[in-house]
Amino acid sequence: MASKKMEALGSVVAAALGDKLVSSTQALDELTIVCKASDLPSVALTLRDHADLAFEQCIDVCGMDYSAYRDEPWDGPRFAAVYHLLSVKLNHRIRLRVFAADDDFPVIPSVNDVWNAANWFEREAFDLYGIVFEGHPDLRRLLTDYGFVGHPFRKDFPLSGHVEMRYDPTQQRVIYQSVTIEPREITPRIIREENYGG
């Protein structure tokens, strides 16, 4: 059951965003809203500049891969960016979820011009999920190296990766090569001594 504060916030958000609000859910005393990627820049400005919302701070941006969700098939766009916003002035929080329209090449507009704190968070989501933030001033890898192949937080990324690097003493440098780890089945075996436990 949502608190009166969350219900009031939900009403203000619905009135401020109008038809740009795709959905709104309240659970565990938190408000989550969804908007289209094409509407993100104007929604972000409204959330920041509206006097009754005043979400002046972006706390976090994270990428999401919904190819499988809660161990069930997911019917909808695969990739999303989730923005966690804070209003210090009014002491409330909101979660904004934006789905990329194309699963093969996910693109979402950058909100770096609205909240400068989103800069490195968007770079992280680009690096780990492959979500391209259109209009970002410096979109490049952040956590993996520049020669890294793929995006490691995607659910279809192999656990052992595509390439590995090692130091080659003959060439006296680090080299990349195909993964040499053989896949193995990790099944726990229980070995007990005779008369175990009694």
Side-chain angles (χ1 to χ4, degrees):
M1 183 174 183
S3 69
K4 290 181 180 180
K5 181 179 177 182
M6 280 297 110
E7 288 177 4
L9 178 60
S11 299
V12 172
V13 168
L17 297 181
D19 60 347
K20 293 178 183 173
L21 182 66
V22 173
S23 68
S24 174
T25 55
Q26 296 177 9
L28 303 173
D29 210 26
E30 295 177 349
L31 179 63
T32 302
I33 62 172
V34 178
C35 77
K36 294 179 187 173
S38 58
D39 293 333
L40 179 59
S42 60
V43 166
L45 283 172
T46 302
L47 291 173
R48 185 191 69 184
D49 297 339
H50 192 284
D52 294 330
L53 298 175
F55 289 105
E56 67 268 8
Q57 195 166 4
C58 180
I59 298 297
D60 186 29
V61 181
C62 59
M64 294 292 294
D65 181 355
Y66 287 97
S67 58
Y69 184 62
R70 294 185 179 172
D71 297 328
E72 297 176 9
W74 174 258
D75 184 28
R78 178 178 175 182
F79 295 103
V82 180
Y83 299 83
H84 297 96
L85 308 175
L86 169 68
S87 173
V88 176
K89 178 182 175 185
L90 301 174
N91 191 26
H92 51 236
R93 296 173 185 264
I94 195 168
R95 181 181 300 115
L96 170 62
R97 185 176 295 130
V98 182
F99 287 95
D102 186 3
D103 291 345
D104 295 326
F105 187 66
V107 178
I108 294 174
S110 175
V111 296
N112 188 57
D113 292 339
V114 180
W115 298 290
N116 288 336
N119 189 329
W120 279 38
F121 294 132
E122 289 180 347
R123 284 182 60 190
E124 182 180 290
F126 164 70
D127 189 6
L128 301 177
Y129 290 95
I131 300 170
V132 175
F133 290 90
E134 192 173 46
H136 191 283
D138 187 21
L139 194 63
R140 56 192 164 106
R141 289 196 181 268
L142 182 66
L143 299 174
T144 59
D145 64 336
Y146 295 113
F148 194 85
V149 177
H151 304 283
F153 278 15
R154 287 187 174 190
K155 292 183 180 175
D156 55 1
F157 188 81
L159 289 178
S160 59
H162 297 292
V163 295
E164 65 185 15
M165 60 184 223
R166 67 175 178 82
Y167 180 76
D168 187 348
T170 58
Q171 298 180 30
Q172 295 184 345
R173 67 181 182 93
V174 173
I175 62 167
Y176 291 91
Q177 64 186 31
S178 297
V179 176
T180 58
I181 300 172
E182 293 183 19
R184 52 186 190 146
E185 189 174 324
I186 303 175
T187 307
R189 259 184 12 191
I190 300 173
I191 301 174
R192 294 189 176 151
E193 301 170 8
E194 288 184 35
N195 301 323
Y196 177 78

